[in-house]
Amino acid sequence: MCPFAPRFASRMANVNPSVIREILKVVSQPDITSFAGGMPAQDLFPADELAAAAQAAFRTPEITLKALQYGPSEGYPPLRAAIAAQLAAEGIDLTGNQILLTTGSQQGIFMLAQAFINPGDEIVVGSPTFLGALQAFQGFEAHFVTVPLDAGGMKMDALARVLEHRQPKFIYTIPNFQNPTGLMLTEERKAEMYALASRHGVPIVEDDPYGDLYFGPQRPSAIKALDHEGGVVLLRTFSKVLAPGLRVAYAVVPDAIVEKLIPLKQCNDLHTAALTQVMIAEYLATGGLEAHLARLRTEYRKRRDLMLAAMDAHLPEWCSWTRPEGGLFIWVTLPSGLLAAPLLEECITKEKVAFIPGDAFFAHGGGENTLRLNFSNASEAAIEDGIRRLGRVMKAARPQLARS
Amino acid sequence: MCPFAPRFASRMANVNPSVIREILKVVSQPDITSFAGGMPAQDLFPADELAAAAQAAFRTPEITLKALQYGPSEGYPPLRAAIAAQLAAEGIDLTGNQILLTTGSQQGIFMLAQAFINPGDEIVVGSPTFLGALQAFQGFEAHFVTVPLDAGGMKMDALARVLEHRQPKFIYTIPNFQNPTGLMLTEERKAEMYALASRHGVPIVEDDPYGDLYFGPQRPSAIKALDHEGGVVLLRTFSKVLAPGLRVAYAVVPDAIVEKLIPLKQCNDLHTAALTQVMIAEYLATGGLEAHLARLRTEYRKRRDLMLAAMDAHLPEWCSWTRPEGGLFIWVTLPSGLLAAPLLEECITKEKVAFIPGDAFFAHGGGENTLRLNFSNASEAAIEDGIRRLGRVMKAARPQLARS
């Protein structure tokens, strides 16, 4: 008998295979049109530029050494400097803040959970919210206090009531083009959230993987830009704007906690891959990011438009959906008796099209009649055709609903 | 006031800047001859081959996609297959085991701590042992049960007494060319440790970053090779044999626990950098590793020989040291009243030479009269000259000892 098996720590009771991971395994066959994943468009990776950046990381003995030897836990200094310059240009004051590189934003979320959550601590999350964050917080035995979302993002009256009665460790929010809904926290609510949190002395974890993927005239603002007392940790990533396989993201962290977070990073994995950090610094130094982002925004916007048009044309009038102004996702709400999980089964077997049932994103259950569609990682033809097929299954499902 | 600062979880009381990290900062000036770090030789990185591997990771759209897109949490399949083939050739039976890629071995150690340690759990460690492991275990509020080492590695009579009276979560051991001592657990003791652990139902975490860096005729055996009941997790890394900046290592994990460890990996950082995994798979496919390892062994052996010869010539006769048969480190024991920490101060200020005082490697204190020397990452000239200067400071320190 494996002597490890009976020895798991208590916290592992909460660590289980993710529903989404299991679905993604099933729908990864090439004959399935999948709107299920949360992946950036593989046809839009700046592959030639990143190949050139990889070569640049070996161009002199000095830089090769930075790419191959152990590096600082907080990250590669030139990359930290380039990030700082970008943040300053956005009005995010780095005085009293430091930039810590992480192995993807998932690690940033994870380390904040590890650093702050005692078993039983409460964390405020949107309902729905990003499953990977729920899993990281559950892994340290957090309890959740959920705040509903409406068209303007997390509802501030509900948040205000929570903060009057509870002492959560922090508020976790994805203000821009939220996963899974695609919704924005309005600019007014960002200010309101910061003011509320500040008044109650509750910190905010601002997870912003999608903010650069806006379809409007400008990047939505960061809550962090309002913060001059160290009340916000901002998480950003190169996964959605360059390539997730590089596993490079960063946290903007108040000075008051950085002396704990650097040793924590060291304890977790010493540092994020040096080579991929050097590559990104080299890529940024070419000045190519802005043009690449402009292309991504144009293409993602085109795919969103196509998907919304196809939905308008093919989905039954009894379901509704968000019309996101950026990001990767559209969120669909079915009539309350129609369940997304069996609908997915039907979609896969009958029409070879897939999505993610929405209930996985709700910390306290619910949302069984919701689903998430990804528009970034599918071709234009697949979007039109896949949504038509989804509509067929939905229409056929309605009689079942009437029967039940 | 930063609202994060008073909110740290209890476990963070044990997370503090590492003494070694602070020393390494001080001694990183170019005018200091440092034997302090634990870094592989930067002049021996196979930089051209890794640059070629980086290019190979972009050679077709299919492989580029593997390098840049999200990948499986357990690791890049061709790399897992190449590792499995290597392990099979070493007699490590993979039946009932799986290979999980990690972001350096530090993450493997960390994830085992996270998966198995409840606050107050006991972990058996050598005295001394690797500081990074002590930090990872402390980060989950472990208590330590220490087992002393002699010339044959961890003492089995002491381990037997521990296992008779205690129920530790696991035994952590670095059997080959241990950090910090350079000592080997003898082949007899490996078998004895496995038998003892198996009899008491206690699992073993076998950390083996240095086993490929042997100076004798063949690779020392793995305890894992004796294991047919899932009692051993074996940790290995490409950090010491290729380059640590790639942050690619792996754990060989019993099937009985893999269904918890894969979601745990997902929760920590989704997966290890895909690009660097693809690079290593491409590098291994060239068949170049064996020749590179042969070169590393020859060069490291030469540096060890030089350092030992310089120590024989220049260090006072009243200190003793190990004569490691592989790895990166030599361990020095001073007379019991002579403290390594103030000696380091003298060495830095007077002779610009540095080492790591050994007390950091002892879970329960002690070892103030010990120090660790690294021989892998210094030139031949620096070794001879640096050891001469270390000897001068030591000889001058002896009168202080007599006075105290």
Side-chain angles (χ1 to χ4, degrees):
Chain A
M1 222 279 284
C2 170
F4 282 102
R7 279 179 152 74
F8 280 114
S10 313
R11 70 182 70 84
M12 294 298 284
N14 300 317
V15 176
N16 292 299
S18 122
V19 181
I20 293 185
R21 187 186 150 94
E22 299 310 305
I23 293 172
L24 292 179
K25 271 188 203 165
V26 173
V27 305
S28 66
Q29 290 101 322
D31 63 332
I32 290 188
T33 299
S34 176
F35 306 127
M39 296 188 288
Q42 57 194 53
D43 53 315
L44 299 176
F45 288 137
D48 292 345
E49 293 81 354
L50 290 174
Q55 282 311 90
F58 290 93
R59 73 177 188 280
T60 67
E62 291 71 27
I63 197 166
T64 301
L65 183 58
K66 299 295 180 193
L68 296 184
Q69 190 56 284
Y70 286 112
S73 295
E74 57 271 37
Y76 177 54
L79 179 57
R80 295 173 79 216
I83 292 166
Q86 176 56 44
L87 291 168
E90 249 182 77
I92 297 173
D93 180 11
L94 281 170
T95 315
N97 288 293
Q98 292 193 34
I99 293 161
L100 298 190
L101 274 294
T102 61
T103 307
S105 267
Q106 182 67 33
Q107 190 185 49
I109 297 169
F110 175 83
M111 281 176 53
L112 292 167
Q114 182 188 2
F116 292 105
I117 299 177
N118 284 319
D121 277 354
E122 292 187 328
I123 305 296
V124 176
V125 296
S127 186
T129 193
F130 172 48
L131 177 62
L134 294 179
Q135 290 175 320
F137 303 154
Q138 281 172 325
F140 290 98
E141 303 172 82
H143 293 173
F144 295 113
V145 183
T146 56
V147 175
L149 275 62
D150 66 13
M154 204 185 266
K155 291 179 72 169
M156 287 303 109
D157 51 349
L159 179 64
R161 282 195 298 276
V162 163
L163 297 186
E164 270 156 35
H165 297 102
R166 293 169 183 272
Q167 281 290 325
K169 267 293 165 79
F170 55 77
I171 300 161
Y172 172 77
T173 183
I174 308 161
N176 301 325
F177 322 122
Q178 195 232 23
N179 183 359
T181 62
L183 292 169
M184 281 288 296
L185 190 67
T186 63
E187 296 295 301
E188 295 71 23
R189 288 195 189 176
K190 285 176 181 172
E192 208 176 336
M193 181 185 283
Y194 183 74
L196 272 172
S198 175
R199 188 180 327 139
H200 292 279
V202 174
I204 296 172
V205 173
E206 179 182 19
D207 188 10
D208 185 29
Y210 313 114
D212 281 314
L213 305 175
Y214 56 87
F215 307 149
Q218 62 191 15
R219 197 193 204 290
S221 75
I223 302 171
K224 183 68 185 170
L226 305 170
D227 178 33
H228 301 288
E229 57 190 351
V232 181
V233 169
L234 172 63
L235 301 175
R236 293 222 179 135
T237 179
F238 293 99
S239 290
K240 304 303 187 293
V241 300
L242 281 178
L246 304 177
R247 307 307 300 129
V248 179
Y250 57 96
V252 185
V253 172
D255 271 347
I257 59 172
V258 80
E259 283 307 309
K260 286 283 191 186
L261 293 186
I262 292 174
L264 197 67
K265 171 68 176 164
Q266 191 179 15
C267 189
N268 283 30
D269 64 2
L270 293 186
H271 61 83
T272 292
L275 174 65
T276 56
Q277 291 188 69
V278 170
M279 280 174 60
I280 292 179
E282 292 295 314
Y283 174 84
L284 295 178
T286 67
L289 181 64
E290 264 318 305
H292 173 62
L293 283 176
R295 180 160 173 248
L296 275 187
R297 288 175 201 129
T298 303
E299 288 296 322
Y300 282 8
R301 181 182 186 151
K302 198 186 295 175
R303 292 176 195 193
R304 178 212 52 178
D305 289 344
L306 270 169
M307 189 171 275
L308 287 175
M311 291 170 80
D312 290 337
H314 303 301
L315 297 201
E317 72 294 343
W318 41 258
C319 62
S320 60
W321 51 87
T322 58
R323 304 186 86 88
E325 289 298 316
L328 312 179
F329 303 113
I330 295 171
W331 182 247
V332 180
T333 304
L334 308 172
S336 63
L338 189 56
L339 307 181
L343 193 73
L344 174 63
E345 298 262 10
E346 296 273 298
C347 279
I348 292 172
T349 52
K350 295 201 177 141
E351 294 281 358
K352 295 200 175 295
V353 59
F355 55 80
I356 294 285
D359 55 349
F361 302 101
F362 289 81
H364 289 154
E368 291 82 358
N369 64 322
T370 58
L371 59 93
R372 189 188 75 179
L373 295 173
N374 166 268
F375 56 79
S376 59
N377 195 26
S379 69
E380 300 183 8
I383 288 173
E384 163 67 20
D385 184 55
I387 294 294
R388 181 187 294 116
R389 289 186 274 147
L390 172 63
R392 273 207 294 265
V393 178
M394 279 184 170
K395 285 168 188 163
R398 191 58 197 271
Q400 295 172 15
L401 174 67
R403 277 204 307 276
S404 69
Chain B
M1 222 279 285
C2 170
F4 282 102
R7 278 180 153 74
F8 280 113
S10 312
R11 69 183 72 84
M12 294 298 285
N14 301 317
V15 175
N16 292 296
S18 122
V19 180
I20 293 185
R21 188 186 148 94
E22 299 309 305
I23 292 171
L24 292 179
K25 271 189 204 163
V26 173
V27 305
S28 66
Q29 290 102 324
D31 63 333
I32 290 187
T33 299
S34 176
F35 306 127
M39 296 189 289
Q42 57 194 55
D43 53 316
L44 299 177
F45 289 138
D48 292 344
E49 292 82 354
L50 291 174
Q55 281 313 88
F58 291 93
R59 75 175 188 279
T60 67
E62 291 70 27
I63 197 165
T64 301
L65 183 59
K66 298 296 180 192
L68 296 184
Q69 189 56 284
Y70 286 112
S73 295
E74 56 271 37
Y76 177 53
L79 180 56
R80 294 174 81 216
I83 292 166
Q86 176 56 45
L87 290 169
E90 251 182 76
I92 297 172
D93 179 12
L94 282 169
T95 314
N97 288 293
Q98 291 194 34
I99 293 161
L100 298 190
L101 274 293
T102 61
T103 307
S105 267
Q106 182 68 33
Q107 190 184 48
I109 297 169
F110 175 82
M111 281 177 52
L112 293 167
Q114 183 188 0
F116 292 104
I117 299 176
N118 284 318
D121 278 352
E122 293 187 327
I123 305 295
V124 175
V125 297
S127 186
T129 193
F130 173 48
L131 178 62
L134 294 178
Q135 289 174 321
F137 303 154
Q138 281 172 326
F140 290 99
E141 303 173 82
H143 293 173
F144 295 114
V145 183
T146 56
V147 174
L149 275 62
D150 65 15
M154 203 184 268
K155 292 176 73 169
M156 286 304 108
D157 52 348
L159 178 64
R161 281 194 300 275
V162 164
L163 297 186
E164 269 156 35
H165 296 101
R166 293 169 183 273
Q167 281 289 328
K169 266 296 166 78
F170 55 77
I171 300 162
Y172 171 77
T173 184
I174 308 161
N176 301 324
F177 321 123
Q178 196 233 22
N179 183 358
T181 62
L183 292 170
M184 282 289 296
L185 190 66
T186 63
E187 295 296 301
E188 294 72 23
R189 288 194 189 176
K190 285 176 181 170
E192 207 176 336
M193 181 185 281
Y194 182 73
L196 271 171
S198 176
R199 189 180 325 141
H200 291 279
V202 174
I204 296 172
V205 173
E206 179 181 20
D207 189 10
D208 185 28
Y210 313 114
D212 280 313
L213 305 174
Y214 55 87
F215 306 150
Q218 63 191 15
R219 198 192 202 290
S221 74
I223 301 171
K224 183 69 183 169
L226 305 170
D227 178 32
H228 300 289
E229 57 190 352
V232 180
V233 169
L234 172 63
L235 302 174
R236 293 222 179 134
T237 179
F238 292 99
S239 289
K240 304 303 187 294
V241 301
L242 281 179
L246 305 177
R247 309 305 301 129
V248 179
Y250 56 96
V252 185
V253 171
D255 271 347
I257 59 172
V258 81
E259 282 309 307
K260 285 285 189 183
L261 293 185
I262 292 174
L264 196 68
K265 171 68 176 165
Q266 191 178 14
C267 189
N268 283 33
D269 64 1
L270 293 187
H271 61 83
T272 292
L275 174 66
T276 57
Q277 290 187 69
V278 171
M279 280 174 60
I280 292 179
E282 291 295 315
Y283 175 84
L284 294 179
T286 66
L289 182 62
E290 264 318 307
H292 173 63
L293 283 176
R295 180 162 172 246
L296 275 187
R297 287 175 201 129
T298 303
E299 288 296 322
Y300 283 7
R301 181 182 186 153
K302 197 187 294 176
R303 291 176 196 193
R304 178 212 52 179
D305 288 344
L306 270 168
M307 188 170 276
L308 287 175
M311 292 170 81
D312 290 336
H314 303 301
L315 297 202
E317 73 294 344
W318 41 257
C319 63
S320 60
W321 51 87
T322 58
R323 305 187 86 87
E325 289 299 317
L328 312 179
F329 303 113
I330 295 171
W331 182 248
V332 180
T333 304
L334 308 171
S336 63
L338 189 56
L339 307 180
L343 192 73
L344 173 64
E345 298 261 12
E346 296 272 297
C347 278
I348 292 171
T349 53
K350 294 199 178 142
E351 294 281 359
K352 297 201 175 291
V353 59
F355 54 80
I356 295 285
D359 54 349
F361 303 101
F362 289 80
H364 289 154
E368 290 84 359
N369 64 321
T370 59
L371 60 92
R372 189 189 76 180
L373 296 173
N374 166 268
F375 56 79
S376 60
N377 195 25
S379 69
E380 300 184 7
I383 289 173
E384 162 69 20
D385 184 55
I387 294 295
R388 181 187 293 116
R389 287 185 276 145
L390 172 62
R392 275 209 293 266
V393 178
M394 280 186 171
K395 284 168 187 164
R398 190 58 196 269
Q400 295 171 14
L401 172 68
R403 277 205 307 275
S404 70

